[in-house]
Amino acid sequence: MDTLAELAQIETTALAELRAADTLDVLEAWRVDYLGRKGRLTGVLRGMGSLPAEERPVVGGRANEVRVRLEDAFAARRAEVEAAAETAQLEAERLDVTLPGRAPRMGRAHPLTRVLDEVKAIFLGLGFDILDGPEVETFYYNFASLNYPEDHPAMDEQDSFYLTDDTLLRTHTTATQVRILQERTPPVRCIYYGRVHRREQLTLRHSHTFHQVDGLLVDEGVTFADLKGTLDAFFKELFGPQTQMRFRADFFPFTEPSADFSFTCFECHGAGCRLCSGTGWVEFGGCGMVHPNILRHVGLDPERYTGWAFGFGVDRVAMRRYGVGDIRLWMENDMRFLTGV
Ligand code: DAH
């Protein structure tokens, strides 16, 4: 076949194949096949050396013409295929912005945390520091430093979880009291709180794990009247201005005198109801004047410094507030306590 006819045929088939090419991969294969360094057009140009001299310019000019035409056609076809690919991609990734959104699941703080947060906020407002101490405690801080007599039943293995002869899970947050008095100098005004553990028979109202808040104020001239005033302000803030308090004599090794304190039931305001077992009062915790032995033990002169302390449980307050009848539920990871309103 003569070379011009060959060029004409290359042009015709190349353009036909180009029209059929509909992906970038096929296009690239086409380009290599026709226009590449070892492509068909280059092949024709290479063969020109064997042509008679007078034919060469004609064939060369024609070959160039075909090359330019194929290059132009290729660029145009590639632009078409790219545009089609982009349209297809946009179509596939189309977002329906009119679909209703998926609301994230709202969580909220655990009821015990919420009660604790309220307690902390009130004492912060009264000028108290908020502290905590270790949950694994030494016998010394949990009992001995708090003036427990050597044979006190609370120290018995039956009542506490001992880890070694000398360490145990603290049985009350009062365990942090002497730590604080060893670190700070009066005036000391703080609350400290957290998890405590006792070897209890599990019941609706008793768990091996519960939560306490202790408070401590030590300074010159501190009296029991300050304690009453502070607790009164606290309870009125926590349960409302109509709340009344009651103190009754009690005993704790670390306070003298000691008292337990109750407040009027926030359900019936003292009239007596199911929540307060008909008494009108809810027992809350213990308190008293810091025992002089403890002040002396941390190097404070009881003739100059006095102080008071109190402690109460958080779990039963939260039970009453949220109408939960079983103390063990607080520690059971029930998701309903944590999901939104
Ligand atoms: N630690 C006592 C308990 O767990 C409560 C208590 C009583 C704490 C009197 C005190 C206090 O700080 O002064 O029963």
Side-chain angles (χ1 to χ4, degrees), residues 171-172 174 177 192 198 212 214-215 252 254-255 286-288 309-312:
T171 60
H172 54 179
T174 316
Q177 176 171 312
Y192 29 103
R198 287 182 203 171
Q212 288 187 329
D214 263 53
F252 299 102
F254 34 91
T255 43
C287 63
F310 66 84
F312 63 82

Side-chain angles (χ1 to χ4, degrees), residues 96-111:
D96 183 351
V97 292
T98 65
L99 277 176
R102 252 172 262 157
R105 290 211 309 172
M106 292 297 286
R108 60 178 173 182
H110 191 278

Side-chain angles (χ1 to χ4, degrees), residues 140 145 147 177-178 181-182 218 254 256 290-307:
Y140 169 75
S145 70
N147 200 37
Q177 176 171 312
V178 168
L181 288 175
Q182 284 171 341
V218 176
F254 34 91
E256 182 60 36
V290 177
H291 200 289
N293 285 352
I294 293 179
L295 295 174
R296 263 192 292 273
H297 184 70
V298 297
L300 295 174
D301 176 3
E303 294 302 323
R304 179 168 169 206
Y305 292 104
T306 46

Side-chain angles (χ1 to χ4, degrees), residues 20-21 34 41 54 56 67 89 91 109 126 144 168 192 238 240 250-251 263 275 283 290 297 321:
Y34 286 100
L41 209 51
E54 66 278 10
R56 282 184 211 156
R67 186 176 54 80
Q89 188 180 2
E91 196 60 37
L126 291 171
L168 70 161
Y192 29 103
L238 191 63
D250 201 344
F251 173 80
F263 60 92
L275 264 185
E283 275 193 30
V290 177
H297 184 70
R321 169 157 292 186

Side-chain angles (χ1 to χ4, degrees), residues 327-338:
I327 193 171
R328 295 167 290 192
L329 287 173
W330 293 142
M331 301 301 294
E332 280 184 1
N333 293 330
D334 189 327
M335 284 297 285
R336 286 171 298 178
F337 289 139
L338 303 179

